Structures are given as structure tokens and as C-alpha cells.
Amino acid sequence: MKDMYILAIESSCDETSCAIVKNGSVDISTVILSQIDIHTNFGGVVPEIASRQHLKNITMVIEECLNKAKMTMDEIDAIAVTYGPGLIGSLLVGVEAAKMLSSIYNKPLIPVHHIAGHIYANNLNKRMEFPLIALVVSGGHTELIYMKDEYTFEKIGGTLDDAVGESYDKVARVIGVGYPGGPILDKMAKVGIHEYNLPIPLNDESYNFSFSGLKSAVINLAHNYEQKGIKINKDNLAKSFQDVVVEVITKKTLKALKDKNVKRLIIAGGVAANSGIREGLKKICEENAIECSYPDLKYCTDNATMIGAAGYYAYKKGIVADSTLNAVSSTNLT
Ligand code: KG4
Ligand code: ZN
């Protein structure tokens, strides 16, 4: 079969990214322009600024990606793009760029759900096999997805309020350790000890999560200590918080694997970089003879390579769009 080269675009949040991916698994060229330094000044992503930055950079990022691959648009077989979910203004920049390329060069246009992209980042490492359970943990998502087969998704659980990455970022902001909070708190947790008692949120038999109560508990604890004039040990607070997150995530993931009788777990999304979550899941997988895989760290956070990987399988399933494709800020993965 002829090789298929997909040019993919991702712009759902604060990374402008373009990649060329061969046959859904080989990264030919990836360019990621992060806006993190700009948003750090505001302690979080400012949607209006994000979309303006995408607009400013998208053409340059696409050109650089083609140059890096030493390829021309004639050698590209299809265009894949993240159509949602995400920040609407940001998504629109990527979708319009992809539509334009598809129309000018007469290439098929493949719409990709951002979460499908995070999941298929695993395919860049090793071909995914099915059935499997995917745990998607990012700044915008905390979901357990059952995949019976290639490019079929059944959401079996998810967060009822904040996403896990979001709660990391908010806790970090409140205790004043910087942005983005995930990697910072993770580093602090490595040197801290479990000193503070925090509640395990939604500690029930469902596959759902709730992180807003945990975040509030941390914030209340920090304020109480402050009022009493007691200095909080921030490393220990980070460790106590991370331990609770790891406990609830590993417990629910293991339950899903057992109930569905599945022996494969893949982890996806920015929070998959978290060392505590990695260790916790590795342990339960070893204890239960479950094969566990993660994307390379560079493919955990937002990138277009994962969109090119997912786009290949979407295309094989006949998922294509036309010039009416629109960006959607909130959409389920089905
Ligand atoms: O997947 P991603 O790049 O963007 C979304 O689609 O949301 O994930 C970004 C999120 C941020 O909330 C960031 O704080 C979190 O991933 N993150 C981490 C770590 N590295 C990134 N959270 C916990 N531990 C980490 N090591
Ligand atoms: Zn993401």
C-alpha cells in the first residue's frame, strides 16, 4: 500500500503546531510554537491573546514544518485538523488554515477530536492494540474511555467539575508557585512528604471524578494556616495533594480495567507527564498483569503530531469534512 503523508494542524489552546505524519505512526516533522511565556504573565491562558498569537504564527509554523520535512504540498496526501474541543477563537485559526490548504491543493480534509489526538499520541510510540482503556488527563479533560476497536470511543467516566490539570494549575496559583502548576507541583511533590490530610474526592464505585472539592480543600487549608500565622510547607502540601490525586485516579482506572476485563491501558494528555500518576499506574498494572503505555513526554502535551496520527485512522474510517467544517468549543468524543 502507498504511504500516506498527513499534514496536521493543532491550535485548540495555546500551542500553534503543525506536523507531517506518515501512516499514522511516523513523525516526519513537528513544529510547536508555545505561547506559555506570554500567558504566564496572566497566570493562565487568555483566550483573546491566544487566538491573536495563533493568527500571527500559523503560516510560519506550517511553512517551517514543510521545510523541516523537505517536502512540498504536492507530496502531502491529506490535511488533518483539530476541530474541537478547545478555545473557539484558537480552534478557528487552525480550522480555517486547514480548510484553505485543503481547498487550494485539493486534498481531503480530516476533522480530528482533540482527545482522539491525545489518545493516538500513543501510536507514535507503538502500534495500539485493542481492546483498551484510555485514561485522558489534561488541562481540560479527565476521562476514562473504552476502545473496543480502532477509532471507536466509548466514554465510561469523566470529571464532574474541574479537570485534573486545571486543579493542579489552580492550586499552584493559590499557593503562589507559578504557572503552569502541573509540572511545578509535580517537582515539589518529589521532595515533599505527605503531611496534610486531604479528602479523597468522589471516593465511590463510579468511574467519575471530581477535583473541585479537593482544590477547595487545599485552598481552605492554606488560608487557615495563613490566618493562624502558621507557615505552610509547600513541598509537603504538593506531595499531599498529588498523593490524593494519584490514589483516586489509580483506583478508578483499575476498576474500569477490571470491570471491562481489559488488559491494556494507555495514558494520554498533558498530565500523563506526572511522575506520581506514572508510578501509581505502573504499580497497579504490574500487580494485575496489565500492559501500560504512555506517549513520549514530548507528545503528552498539545502537539499536531498526535492529530496526524489520529487523522490517519479517522480517514481510514471514512471520516472527512468539506468546506463547511466549523470549530466547536465543546464536543463529545464518539
Ligand atoms: O494536554 P495539555 O497540553 O493541554 C490540554 O489539552 O489541556 O495539558 C496541559 C495540562 C496543564 O494543566 C499542566 O499543568 C498539566 O497538563 N501538566 C501536568 C504536568 N505536566 C503538564 N500536570 C501534572 N504533572 C505534570 N508533570
Ligand atoms: Zn490537550
Side-chain angles (χ1 to χ4, degrees):
M1 213 179 77
K2 188 185 164 291
D3 287 332
M4 183 176 190
Y5 291 88
I6 294 182
L7 182 142
I9 297 172
E10 154 68 39
S11 68
S12 66
C13 191
D14 61 342
E15 268 94 22
T16 318
S17 181
C18 179
I20 296 169
V21 179
K22 182 175 137 188
N23 300 335
S25 61
V26 185
D27 177 357
I28 302 292
S29 153
T30 296
V31 176
I32 305 171
L33 192 78
S34 172
Q35 306 171 3
I36 215 155
D37 292 345
I38 299 167
H39 299 288
T40 298
N41 300 327
F42 303 95
V45 178
V46 183
E48 179 62 27
I49 295 175
S51 48
R52 275 194 229 164
Q53 288 297 318
H54 285 306
L55 203 53
K56 196 172 128 197
N57 297 322
I58 188 87
T59 316
M60 184 179 73
V61 167
I62 295 169
E63 268 176 17
E64 199 183 321
C65 181
L66 283 161
N67 289 342
K68 209 173 147 192
K70 297 191 174 54
M71 289 176 82
T72 64
M73 280 305 294
D74 292 339
E75 295 164 279
I76 299 295
D77 298 296
I79 316 290
V81 64
T82 308
Y83 70 94
L87 302 171
I88 193 70
S90 294
L91 286 164
L92 273 169
V93 177
V95 168
E96 290 308 315
K99 275 167 39 173
M100 192 185 64
L101 289 175
S102 152
S103 143
I104 294 175
Y105 296 100
N106 198 22
K107 312 279 179 191
L109 178 65
I110 312 165
V112 176
H113 192 285
H114 185 73
I115 297 302
H118 272 305
I119 291 174
Y120 272 84
N122 282 275
N123 215 59
L124 296 158
N125 186 17
K126 177 177 168 282
R127 282 278 158 106
M128 284 156 58
E129 289 177 67
F130 304 92
L132 60 79
I133 294 283
L135 169 71
V136 184
V137 277
S138 75
H141 299 270
T142 310
E143 290 175 15
L144 278 167
I145 291 158
Y146 172 59
M147 291 179 75
K148 192 160 179 273
D149 235 317
E150 195 83 79
Y151 224 77
T152 59
F153 309 95
E154 183 197 335
K155 181 177 165 184
I156 58 171
T159 182
L160 304 177
D161 39 59
D162 291 353
V164 62
E166 188 182 355
S167 68
Y168 265 93
D169 294 339
K170 286 180 180 167
V171 164
R173 188 159 60 203
V174 169
I175 64 171
V177 291
Y179 171 84
I184 299 169
L185 289 180
D186 189 14
K187 224 168 155 186
M188 291 166 66
K190 279 188 195 151
V191 292
I193 53 162
H194 191 125
E195 178 187 344
Y196 303 102
N197 235 336
L198 295 165
I200 298 176
L202 208 67
N203 193 14
D204 62 6
E205 292 303 303
S206 77
Y207 305 124
N208 290 327
F209 303 92
S210 164
F211 292 106
S212 113
L214 176 61
K215 171 199 69 193
S216 305
V218 175
I219 294 169
N220 290 341
L221 190 139
H223 286 162
N224 276 341
Y225 273 60
E226 198 183 311
Q227 274 167 6
K228 288 179 191 152
I230 309 169
K231 202 168 173 305
I232 213 147
N233 181 315
K234 292 185 183 179
D235 291 341
N236 291 355
L237 186 57
K239 169 74 174 153
S240 309
F241 169 72
Q242 182 145 303
D243 280 354
V244 172
V245 170
V246 173
E247 182 167 346
V248 72
I249 285 183
T250 49
K251 179 190 154 178
K252 300 225 166 176
T253 305
L254 182 59
K255 183 171 175 1
L257 285 157
K258 283 191 167 165
D259 292 353
K260 288 282 185 188
N261 197 20
V262 168
K263 289 286 182 190
R264 287 186 200 97
L265 171 68
I266 62 162
I267 328 292
V271 186
N274 185 271
S275 62
I277 294 177
R278 283 188 171 232
E279 276 162 34
L281 291 171
K282 188 169 168 252
K283 185 165 173 283
I284 57 155
C285 286
E286 277 171 5
E287 285 168 2
N288 293 278
I290 289 159
E291 194 189 308
C292 179
S293 70
Y294 301 86
D296 281 355
L297 276 183
K298 64 179 175 195
Y299 301 128
C300 279
T301 44
D302 290 350
N303 64 85
T305 337
M306 65 186 197
I307 303 302
Y312 177 77
Y313 294 95
Y315 186 71
K316 277 177 119 183
K317 281 217 137 185
I319 301 172
V320 282
D322 59 21
S323 59
T324 60
L325 178 69
N326 212 345
V328 218
S329 61
S330 167
T331 167
N332 284 334
L333 175 60
T334 47

